[in-house]
Coordinates of all heavy atoms in Angstrom, one line a residue:
L21 N 1.6 7.6 -6.7 CA 1.1 6.3 -6.6 C 2.2 5.2 -6.6 O 2.2 4.3 -5.7 CB 0.0 5.9 -7.6 CG -1.4 6.5 -7.4 CD1 -1.4 8.0 -7.3 CD2 -2.3 6.0 -8.4
G22 N 2.9 5.2 -7.5 CA 4.1 4.2 -7.7 C 4.9 4.1 -6.4 O 5.1 2.9 -6.0
P23 N 5.5 5.1 -5.8 CA 6.2 4.9 -4.6 C 5.4 4.3 -3.5 O 6.1 3.6 -2.6 CB 6.6 6.4 -4.2 CG 6.6 7.1 -5.6 CD 5.5 6.5 -6.4
R24 N 4.2 4.5 -3.4 CA 3.4 4.0 -2.3 C 3.3 2.4 -2.5 O 3.3 1.7 -1.5 CB 2.0 4.6 -2.2 CG 2.1 5.9 -1.5 CD 0.8 6.8 -1.7 NE 0.9 8.0 -0.8 CZ 1.7 9.1 -1.0 NH1 2.4 9.2 -2.2 NH2 1.8 10.1 -0.2
I25 N 3.1 2.0 -3.7 CA 3.1 0.6 -4.0 C 4.5 -0.1 -3.8 O 4.6 -1.1 -3.2 CB 2.5 0.3 -5.5 CG1 1.1 0.8 -5.5 CG2 2.6 -1.2 -5.8 CD1 0.5 0.7 -6.9
N26 N 5.5 0.6 -4.4 CA 6.9 0.1 -4.3 C 7.3 0.0 -2.8 O 8.0 -1.0 -2.5 CB 7.8 1.0 -4.9 CG 7.9 0.8 -6.5 OD1 7.7 -0.4 -6.9 ND2 8.1 1.8 -7.3
A27 N 6.8 0.9 -1.9 CA 7.1 0.8 -0.6 C 6.9 -0.5 0.1 O 7.6 -1.0 1.0 CB 6.4 1.9 0.3
A28 N 5.7 -1.2 -0.3 CA 5.3 -2.5 0.3 C 6.5 -3.5 0.0 O 6.8 -4.3 0.8 CB 3.9 -2.8 -0.2
G29 N 6.9 -3.5 -1.2 CA 7.9 -4.4 -1.6 C 9.3 -4.2 -1.0 O 10.1 -5.1 -0.8
R30 N 9.5 -2.9 -0.6 CA 10.8 -2.6 0.0 C 10.9 -2.9 1.4 O 11.9 -3.3 1.9 CB 11.0 -1.1 -0.2 CG 11.3 -0.7 -1.7 CD 11.6 0.9 -1.8 NE 11.6 1.3 -3.3 CZ 12.6 1.0 -4.1 NH1 13.7 0.3 -3.6 NH2 12.6 1.4 -5.3
L31 N 9.8 -2.6 2.1 CA 9.8 -2.7 3.6 C 8.9 -3.7 4.2 O 9.0 -4.1 5.3 CB 9.4 -1.3 4.3 CG 10.3 -0.1 3.9 CD1 9.9 1.1 4.7 CD2 11.8 -0.4 4.2
A32 N 7.9 -4.2 3.4 CA 6.9 -5.1 4.0 C 6.7 -6.2 3.1 O 7.7 -7.0 2.7 CB 5.6 -4.3 4.3
D33 N 5.4 -6.4 2.6 CA 5.1 -7.6 1.8 C 4.3 -7.0 0.6 O 3.2 -6.3 0.8 CB 4.2 -8.5 2.6 CG 3.8 -9.7 1.8 OD1 4.1 -9.8 0.5 OD2 3.2 -10.6 2.4
M34 N 4.7 -7.1 -0.7 CA 4.1 -6.7 -1.8 C 2.6 -7.2 -2.0 O 1.8 -6.6 -2.7 CB 4.8 -6.9 -3.0 CG 4.2 -6.3 -4.3 SD 3.7 -4.5 -4.2 CE 5.2 -3.7 -4.7
T35 N 2.3 -8.2 -1.2 CA 0.9 -8.7 -1.2 C 0.0 -7.6 -0.8 O -1.2 -7.4 -1.5 CB 0.7 -9.8 -0.2 OG1 1.6 -10.9 -0.6 CG2 -0.7 -10.4 -0.2
L36 N 0.3 -6.6 0.0 CA -0.5 -5.5 0.4 C -0.8 -4.6 -0.9 O -1.9 -4.1 -1.1 CB 0.2 -4.6 1.4 CG 0.4 -5.3 2.9 CD1 1.3 -4.3 3.7 CD2 -1.0 -5.4 3.5
G37 N 0.2 -4.4 -1.7 CA 0.1 -3.5 -2.8 C -0.9 -4.2 -3.9 O -1.8 -3.7 -4.5
I38 N -0.6 -5.6 -4.1 CA -1.4 -6.3 -5.0 C -2.9 -6.4 -4.6 O -3.8 -6.2 -5.4 CB -0.8 -7.7 -5.3 CG1 0.6 -7.5 -5.9 CG2 -1.7 -8.6 -6.2 CD1 1.3 -8.8 -6.0
E39 N -3.1 -6.7 -3.3 CA -4.5 -6.7 -2.8 C -5.2 -5.4 -2.9 O -6.4 -5.4 -3.2 CB -4.5 -7.2 -1.3 CG -4.1 -8.7 -1.1 CD -5.3 -9.6 -1.9 OE1 -6.4 -9.3 -1.7 OE2 -4.9 -10.5 -2.5
C40 N -4.5 -4.4 -2.8 CA -5.0 -3.0 -3.0 C -5.5 -2.9 -4.4 O -6.6 -2.3 -4.7 CB -4.1 -1.9 -2.6 SG -4.7 -0.2 -2.7
L41 N -4.7 -3.4 -5.4 CA -5.1 -3.2 -6.7 C -6.2 -4.2 -7.2 O -6.8 -4.0 -8.3 CB -3.9 -3.3 -7.7 CG -2.7 -2.3 -7.4 CD1 -1.5 -2.8 -8.2 CD2 -3.2 -0.9 -7.7
L42 N -6.3 -5.3 -6.5 CA -7.3 -6.3 -6.8 C -8.7 -6.1 -6.2 O -9.7 -6.6 -6.8 CB -6.8 -7.7 -6.3 CG -5.7 -8.3 -7.2 CD1 -5.2 -9.6 -6.6 CD2 -6.1 -8.5 -8.7
T43 N -8.8 -5.5 -5.0 CA -10.0 -5.4 -4.4 C -11.0 -4.5 -5.1 O -10.7 -3.5 -5.7 CB -9.9 -4.9 -2.9 OG1 -11.1 -5.0 -2.3 CG2 -9.4 -3.5 -2.8
D44 N -12.3 -4.9 -5.1 CA -13.4 -4.0 -5.6 C -14.1 -3.4 -4.6 O -15.1 -2.7 -4.8 CB -14.4 -4.8 -6.5 CG -13.6 -5.2 -7.8 OD1 -12.9 -4.5 -8.4 OD2 -13.8 -6.5 -8.2
D45 N -13.7 -3.6 -3.2 CA -14.4 -3.1 -2.1 C -13.7 -1.7 -1.8 O -12.5 -1.7 -1.3 CB -14.3 -4.0 -0.9 CG -15.0 -3.4 0.4 OD1 -14.7 -2.5 0.8 OD2 -15.9 -4.2 0.9
A46 N -14.5 -0.6 -1.9 CA -13.9 0.7 -1.6 C -13.3 0.9 -0.2 O -12.3 1.5 -0.1 CB -15.0 1.8 -1.9
G47 N -14.1 0.3 0.8 CA -13.6 0.5 2.1 C -12.4 -0.3 2.4 O -11.4 0.2 3.0
R48 N -12.3 -1.5 1.8 CA -11.0 -2.2 1.9 C -9.8 -1.7 1.2 O -8.7 -1.6 1.7 CB -11.2 -3.7 1.4 CG -10.0 -4.6 1.3 CD -9.5 -5.0 2.7 NE -8.5 -5.9 2.6 CZ -7.5 -6.0 3.5 NH1 -7.5 -5.3 4.6 NH2 -6.5 -7.0 3.5
A49 N -10.1 -1.1 0.0 CA -9.2 -0.3 -0.8 C -8.6 0.9 0.1 O -7.3 1.1 0.0 CB -9.7 0.1 -2.1
D50 N -9.5 1.6 0.7 CA -9.0 2.8 1.5 C -8.1 2.3 2.7 O -7.1 2.9 3.0 CB -10.2 3.5 2.0 CG -10.9 4.4 1.0 OD1 -10.2 4.7 0.0 OD2 -12.0 4.8 1.2
E51 N -8.5 1.2 3.2 CA -7.7 0.7 4.5 C -6.3 0.2 3.9 O -5.4 0.7 4.6 CB -8.4 -0.5 5.1 CG -7.7 -1.2 6.2 CD -8.3 -2.5 6.6 OE1 -9.4 -2.9 6.0 OE2 -7.8 -3.2 7.5
L52 N -6.2 -0.4 2.8 CA -4.9 -0.9 2.3 C -4.1 0.3 1.8 O -2.9 0.4 2.0 CB -5.2 -1.9 1.1 CG -5.7 -3.2 1.6 CD1 -6.2 -4.0 0.3 CD2 -4.5 -4.0 2.3
A53 N -4.8 1.3 1.2 CA -4.0 2.5 0.7 C -3.5 3.2 1.8 O -2.4 3.8 1.7 CB -5.0 3.4 -0.2
R54 N -4.2 3.4 2.9 CA -3.7 4.0 4.1 C -2.4 3.3 4.7 O -1.5 3.9 5.2 CB -4.8 4.1 5.2 CG -5.8 5.3 4.9 CD -6.6 5.6 6.1 NE -7.4 4.5 6.6 CZ -8.7 4.2 6.2 NH1 -9.2 4.9 5.3 NH2 -9.3 3.1 6.7
M55 N -2.6 2.0 4.7 CA -1.4 1.2 5.1 C -0.2 1.4 4.3 O 0.9 1.6 4.7 CB -1.8 -0.4 5.2 CG -2.8 -0.7 6.1 SD -3.3 -2.5 6.1 CE -1.8 -3.3 6.4
L56 N -0.4 1.4 2.9 CA 0.7 1.7 2.0 C 1.2 3.1 2.2 O 2.5 3.2 2.1 CB 0.2 1.5 0.6 CG -0.1 0.0 0.2 CD1 -0.8 0.0 -1.2 CD2 1.1 -0.8 0.1
D57 N 0.4 4.0 2.5 CA 0.9 5.4 2.6 C 1.8 5.4 3.9 O 2.8 6.0 3.9 CB -0.4 6.3 2.8 CG 0.1 7.8 3.1 OD1 0.7 8.3 2.1 OD2 -0.2 8.4 4.1
G58 N 1.4 4.7 5.0 CA 2.1 4.7 6.2 C 3.5 4.1 6.0 O 4.5 4.5 6.5
I59 N 3.5 2.9 5.2 CA 4.8 2.2 4.8 C 5.7 3.2 4.1 O 7.0 3.2 4.3 CB 4.5 0.9 4.1 CG1 3.8 0.0 5.0 CG2 5.8 0.3 3.6 CD1 3.2 -1.3 4.3
N60 N 5.0 4.0 3.2 CA 5.9 4.9 2.4 C 6.5 6.0 3.3 O 7.6 6.5 3.0 CB 4.9 5.4 1.3 CG 5.8 6.2 0.2 OD1 6.7 5.7 -0.4 ND2 5.4 7.4 0.0
R61 N 5.7 6.4 4.3 CA 6.3 7.4 5.2 C 7.4 6.8 5.9 O 8.4 7.5 6.1 CB 5.2 7.8 6.2 CG 4.0 8.7 5.5 CD 3.0 9.0 6.5 NE 1.8 9.6 5.9 CZ 1.7 10.9 5.6 NH1 2.6 11.7 5.8 NH2 0.6 11.3 5.0
E62 N 7.3 5.6 6.3 CA 8.4 5.0 7.0 C 9.6 4.8 6.1 O 10.8 5.1 6.4 CB 8.1 3.5 7.4 CG 9.1 2.8 8.2 CD 8.8 1.4 8.6 OE1 7.6 1.0 8.2 OE2 9.6 0.6 9.0
R63 N 9.3 4.5 4.8 CA 10.4 4.3 3.8 C 11.1 5.7 3.7 O 12.4 5.8 3.5 CB 9.8 4.0 2.4 CG 10.8 3.7 1.4 CD 11.2 4.9 0.5 NE 10.0 5.5 -0.1 CZ 10.1 6.6 -0.8 NH1 11.2 7.4 -0.8 NH2 9.0 7.2 -1.3
R64 N 10.4 6.8 3.6 CA 11.0 8.1 3.4 C 11.9 8.4 4.6 O 12.9 9.0 4.4 CB 9.9 9.2 3.3 CG 9.3 9.2 1.9 CD 8.6 10.6 1.6 NE 7.5 10.8 2.5 CZ 6.2 10.7 2.2 NH1 5.9 10.3 0.9 NH2 5.3 11.0 3.0

């Protein structure tokens, strides 16, 4: 989990990570988590 959130701050905008942690909408959370996962793959 940590590297996926950190990836947003390294390569994009940490707002993505914070919004993922703030939303109570499961669908929105899944969308943001998939984005963070993609950014983390790019980081790797």
